[in-house]
Amino acid sequence: MPTRRSRPEVPSRTGMWTAMRPYARQVAGLLTVGSLCGVLMNTAVVLPPILLGRAVDTVLAHDQGQADDDAVTRAVLLLVAGTLATELPRIGKRYWLGVARNRIQANVRADAFAGVLAWPAERLHRTPVGEVMARIVGDVAVLGRGVGEVIVETWDTLLFSLALAVAMLLYDPTLGLLALAPVPVALALAQAVGARVADRTLRARQASAAVTSFAQEGLTGLRVLKASGRGAAHAARLRRLADTQADAELAAARLQAGLAPVYTVLVTAGVLAIVWLGGHRVVSGALSIGDLVALLALFGRFTGRAFRIPQMANRVQAAAAAYGRLAPLLAMPPALEPEPPRAGWRADRIAGLPDGPERPLVLPARPAAPTAVWLRDVTFTYPGAGEPALRRVTLDVPPGAVLAVTGPVGSGKSALARLVAGLYQPDSGEVRVDGADPHRWQSGDRAVLGYLPQGHPVFSGTVAENVLLCNRSQGQADDDRLRTAVTVAALDRDVALMPEGLHTAVGELGVQVSGGQRQRIALARGLAAPAVPPRLLVLDDPFSGLDVETEARVVAALCDAVGRGAAPERRATVLLFSTRLASFPRADRIAVLDHGGIIETGDHAELLAAGGVYARIFRAQRDLARRPQEPGLPTATGPAVPGAAR
């Protein structure tokens, strides 16, 4: 028999509201004004029904000659004034509380994204991008609806209903109690089904995350799916996931939609008592017609909102389920002290973001000198992997040196690069950059690092935005940094042929430029680190997409910019990881990796003389480069074509 699935754990509503307090403080001004308007509106909400009843009695009295025209006019004007006293504050309440709700939602989404940016690489390694997207987008929306229910419905439903209920009891306690008797039943039902509402909401959010994750992966690899003829199979699996999501979403929607009419029937059932007993009291003279009209109007307005009280409880329960998925993502909300004046009153403020032009990054107070890098007995295993990627690696790289690392595929080159860049922490051993653990670096510390990851990712946007990552806060210094990085990366000739130069858009994931251009844009980004020049360059496979001529230009420019030929204050320590060895003779030291361990070290001449693995690979690549190319066959690495999309 199939086993029963355990119910996912959902945080308590008390815990959720405790965590949401900082977000309420961020919009304290908006909440204060909106709440005052809500109090005014929902206190005055009893006036129109009461004044309507008095107007009816006044008109009946006028018909019987017991009131003059002025009395009727005063009754009508009072009715209009009572209506305005309700509706004018309603406008302010809806605006201010609506803006506060949207700002809270935006602040939560910003903190969720900031939290993901602060994740260690080990956690990113285990979490699909689509799952993160679903939480930041979908779960924040569900949480926002729950928060909005509390912010708005506290006044629109709770105070509104309370004011109407008190007015009904003052008119006639017996009728009022009988009319309101079914309301506690509706609230008890909402509490009873709350766990099921939260459970179905959580399963719907999980199904949505699965669809988002799978769709994101398919869109990223769309060209591969199309070229391999696997698009239909991928679409079929996506359809099955979408069907699962639809079933989960419908199950949640059916439950809430089915509860709505039940709540409505319960809270409106009291009208029978008002019509039946109220009619008898009018006949007996214990109640006037105007009083009965007022009671019916009060109850009509009450039933128009009271059914939302149990619905609000269910949406808060759904919000608690969404918050349970969001909580692991959220960064600590930013402190209020650095916020600009009256930030809590502004409609367009996102807490923690710069107010005005972006402030320049504050760099650590360190001398402009290259770094020293060393590793001691380092072993590292990727999360979920069965075998270590690195085994007991020990290396010393003095300041300003160029270390070139090679080895076969899977030898551990990228793992070593990521450890030095501080993206992962070793299982054992130590990694130090100038005596500090790079895994514990903050943003200011990372400003000294220029990093080119394997795969050479680029972002949607222009060439300039990709190189500087939109951090243009230092005017001319940024322009100089941009031009220098583009020149060293041998991208200047390509940029000159692009339609809009540095402001040419590269398209989604760089689809509008060639593979070699993408690689050099990513290299320029590493060279344009906020600390100019960077004190440490970690370049993982920087030349795989370049032809020999372009590679030679990049290597020569790199040596002139940060190598031995540069001024002492502009030199950097360079760690170059590559399977192409044409540039290795320029390195101060070379390390050869295999199966996660170092099998050879020395300079170029020493390793050639030793006749080991490095010598065999270098001579094989040199002989291949010298071999004449047969006509009609493509070269191994063709030249990049400026402006071409491949």
Side-chain angles (χ1 to χ4, degrees), residues 121-148:
E122 293 90 341
R123 189 171 180 183
L124 291 170
H125 197 93
R126 298 190 299 265
T127 309
V129 174
E131 171 74 20
V132 175
M133 291 170 57
R135 295 190 188 192
I136 292 178
V137 177
D139 291 332
V140 169
V142 175
L143 176 63
R145 284 195 292 271
V147 171

Side-chain angles (χ1 to χ4, degrees), residues 56-69 71-72:
V56 169
D57 283 342
T58 303
V59 170
L60 291 175
H62 180 274
D63 187 57
Q64 297 171 3
Q66 298 175 1
D68 55 17
D69 293 344
V72 174

Side-chain angles (χ1 to χ4, degrees), residues 219-534:
L219 291 173
T220 301
L222 185 61
R223 294 172 185 81
V224 175
L225 292 173
K226 185 175 181 180
S228 62
R230 301 299 297 166
H234 189 87
R237 186 177 173 191
L238 180 62
R239 189 177 301 111
R240 289 194 294 271
L241 289 174
D243 289 342
T244 301
Q245 180 194 2
D247 291 341
E249 297 277 6
L250 284 172
R254 277 196 299 266
L255 180 59
Q256 296 203 36
L259 289 170
V262 175
Y263 295 148
T264 302
V265 168
L266 286 173
V267 299
T268 57
V271 72
L272 298 176
I274 294 179
V275 173
W276 180 257
L277 293 180
H280 279 288
R281 295 195 176 191
V282 168
V283 171
S284 65
L287 199 68
S288 70
I289 294 177
D291 288 340
L292 180 59
V293 169
L295 269 173
L296 285 171
L298 286 168
F299 188 74
R301 300 202 72 175
F302 174 81
T303 56
R305 300 293 302 185
F307 72 93
R308 294 180 63 88
I309 298 176
Q311 280 188 334
M312 179 180 71
N314 291 155
R315 288 184 179 174
V316 170
Q317 289 154 341
Y323 176 77
R325 286 169 46 82
L326 274 173
L329 275 63
L330 291 174
M332 288 294 294
L336 295 180
E337 289 76 14
E339 286 290 283
R342 296 180 295 280
W345 302 79
R346 288 170 50 180
D348 59 347
R349 175 74 189 150
I350 301 297
L353 293 185
D355 195 39
E358 186 178 358
R359 293 187 292 268
L361 184 65
V362 178
L363 302 181
R366 293 175 179 169
T371 63
V373 178
W374 56 263
L375 295 85
R376 294 288 182 272
D377 205 23
V378 168
T379 297
F380 168 69
T381 307
Y382 282 111
E387 294 291 329
L390 295 173
R391 304 171 189 266
R392 305 180 67 87
V393 171
T394 296
L395 272 176
D396 280 286
V397 187
V402 176
L403 173 69
V405 183
T406 190
V409 174
S411 60
K413 298 185 298 298
S414 293
L416 181 56
R418 291 163 182 168
L419 286 177
V420 174
L423 300 181
Y424 289 91
Q425 196 163 22
D427 304 338
S428 61
E430 294 181 324
V431 180
R432 294 293 182 266
V433 177
D434 273 351
D437 183 355
H439 193 261
R440 300 182 182 276
W441 276 347
Q442 302 300 316
S443 295
D445 301 305
R446 291 192 170 276
V448 304
L449 170 69
Y451 176 53
L452 173 66
Q454 192 178 45
H456 323 116
V458 296
F459 303 94
S460 301
T462 66
V463 174
E465 289 169 345
N466 267 280
V467 173
L468 295 179
L469 290 183
C470 304
N471 184 18
R472 299 180 64 89
S473 56
Q474 299 177 1
Q476 186 61 42
D478 287 328
D479 294 335
D480 294 342
R481 183 159 57 104
L482 174 61
R483 284 194 296 269
T484 300
V486 167
T487 301
V488 174
L491 194 62
D492 47 348
R493 297 179 187 176
D494 301 72
V495 168
L497 296 176
M498 291 180 179
E500 298 180 56
L502 289 169
H503 302 292
T504 301
V506 302
E508 185 77 18
L509 301 178
V511 69
Q512 296 183 33
V513 294
S514 71
Q517 289 170 336
R518 284 197 299 272
Q519 190 166 14
R520 282 174 287 148
I521 289 172
L523 175 59
R525 181 170 64 233
L527 295 168
V532 182

